Amino acid sequence: MCGNCNDKHHPDEPASPARRKALLAGAGIAAASSFAVLPAQAKDSPGPVGNGPWRVRAYGNRSAEGPFEPLEIPRRALRPNDVLIDIMYCAICHSDIHIARQEWGAPYPATNFPCVPGHEIIGRVAAVGSAVTRFRPGDIAGAGAMIDSCGECENCVNDLEQYCVKGWTLNFNSPDKHLGGYNYGGFSQRVVVPERFTVRIPPGMNLAAAAPLMCAGITTFSPMQHWSVKAGQRVGVIGMGGLGHLAVKLAVARKADVTVFTSTPGKVADAKKMGAREAVVWSKPEVLQPYANSFDFLISTVPTNVPTHPITNMLRLDGTYVIVGAREPIEDVRGSGLWLQRRQVSASLMGGMAETQEFIDFCARRTIVADIELIKPDQIDRAFERIKAKDVRYRFVVDLT
């Protein structure tokens, strides 16, 4: 069924920007009720929980070097537009590690301790505020890294909240506008999120494996959507971790010709099973030389800086290289390497909320979810160590049920 007009005879493509606004703004309680049938993995809805505030169980660390341990944290009382989610699953993103272990410097704020990370959240709606129209108790909902923005700037009113010019609010370690102090993330029993920053999870999805879609997935989908990656184009995915393996699946779903560049030989077979035509093990720039002038679109999901010129040299005329994983200065960008083929280097954040809902629906129709390892909260420290050692296939998800 077409994502733009709902005509089952049209190709099933992602919705247009205008359609995306309708997906978010036009969905009332009738639309929400169509998603009320719960997946088999979900448990029966709990009884009434009131309007809060609440003290809830969480898992966090008290210092950058400290272990994760049980904590108790506050969650605010519901405002009219708030949704209370009983968290079932929360995946571990590399940025959770960076912040919890205080590995990032300016412009990021220092980590506030105790720190409760987690921003790839799937759970059951336990209660809603009086003005909420898209959810009711018992629905399955997701929340990601962004839980607020100004709502007034040009970007926000155009469904690009991730580029809010006044600055958006992070799920954790951001100032809490309502309680004071700072926010706590999804390694917890419950979370309160404004309806605008909550997405519906369609029935039938594997809920644990859908959790990484809330950050890793939308972060790779959004640039493919913006730069209109389409069937027949040649796409290169650099790095095949939590983001990279989803980039492969999403590019393949668009019928692109996908090549993976990884530093881990053991991931070559996985890449091909996910639909990549080719997978290349590389650690030195000369390995990339045979691919000069080959790709329409390259996406780097590596969480650290990699040499730029050898990568951009692989782009065809008007090709685009997008960075979604690293925040370090971009090194080795050569003007001659760009203007010879009118290439461009860019970067991208996660998607806005209308686009995130569109993305989740896109994945549900195609049964796209992450490859995961399910863990318990007492395994978070070990999971952090394994992620740094590239020893995960491909996303850890904390089971909070």
Side-chain angles (χ1 to χ4, degrees), residues 8 42 51 88 92 108 134 136 144 202 204 251 257 343-344 399:
K8 65 181 180 180
N51 291 321
M88 302 168 71
I92 301 178
Y108 289 85
R134 294 173 53 243
R136 62 186 184 185
D257 182 342
R343 300 158 172 147
Q344 62 177 311
D399 184 350

Side-chain angles (χ1 to χ4, degrees), residues 126-143:
V128 298
S130 60
V132 170
T133 61
R134 294 173 53 243
F135 296 92
R136 62 186 184 185
D139 290 345
I140 300 298

Side-chain angles (χ1 to χ4, degrees), residues 21 26 29-30 71 76 88 104 118 130 176 209 238 250 386 394:
K21 295 191 81 168
I29 188 64
L71 304 170
R76 69 172 181 263
M88 302 168 71
W104 279 345
S130 60
D176 189 319
I238 300 156
L250 292 170
R386 287 183 56 194
Y394 279 87

Side-chain angles (χ1 to χ4, degrees), residues 191-277:
V191 66
V192 176
V193 182
E195 179 185 26
R196 181 181 175 188
F197 291 87
T198 309
V199 300
R200 302 184 310 273
I201 305 301
M205 294 192 83
N206 180 322
L207 300 184
L213 301 181
M214 296 307 306
C215 176
I218 184 59
T219 298
T220 52
F221 177 86
S222 187
M224 291 185 193
Q225 191 80 332
H226 179 73
W227 277 280
S228 301
V229 171
K230 55 184 179 291
Q233 288 189 324
R234 196 163 181 196
V235 171
V237 177
I238 300 156
M240 193 173 154
L243 275 73
H245 89 288
L246 285 169
V248 173
K249 293 184 179 187
L250 292 170
V252 168
R254 290 170 177 263
K255 297 181 171 57
D257 182 342
V258 181
T259 298
V260 172
F261 297 91
T262 176
S263 60
T264 307
K267 295 181 178 179
V268 169
D270 289 349
K272 292 181 179 179
K273 287 178 182 177
M274 293 177 194
R277 184 184 72 170

Side-chain angles (χ1 to χ4, degrees), residues 384-401:
F384 276 23
E385 294 172 3
R386 287 183 56 194
I387 291 170
K388 287 189 169 186
K390 302 181 182 179
D391 178 26
V392 55
R393 298 292 191 276
Y394 279 87
R395 204 66 155 180
F396 285 115
V397 175
V398 184
D399 184 350
L400 294 156
T401 58

Side-chain angles (χ1 to χ4, degrees), residues 62 98 127 255 279:
R62 298 182 183 275
H98 290 314
K255 297 181 171 57

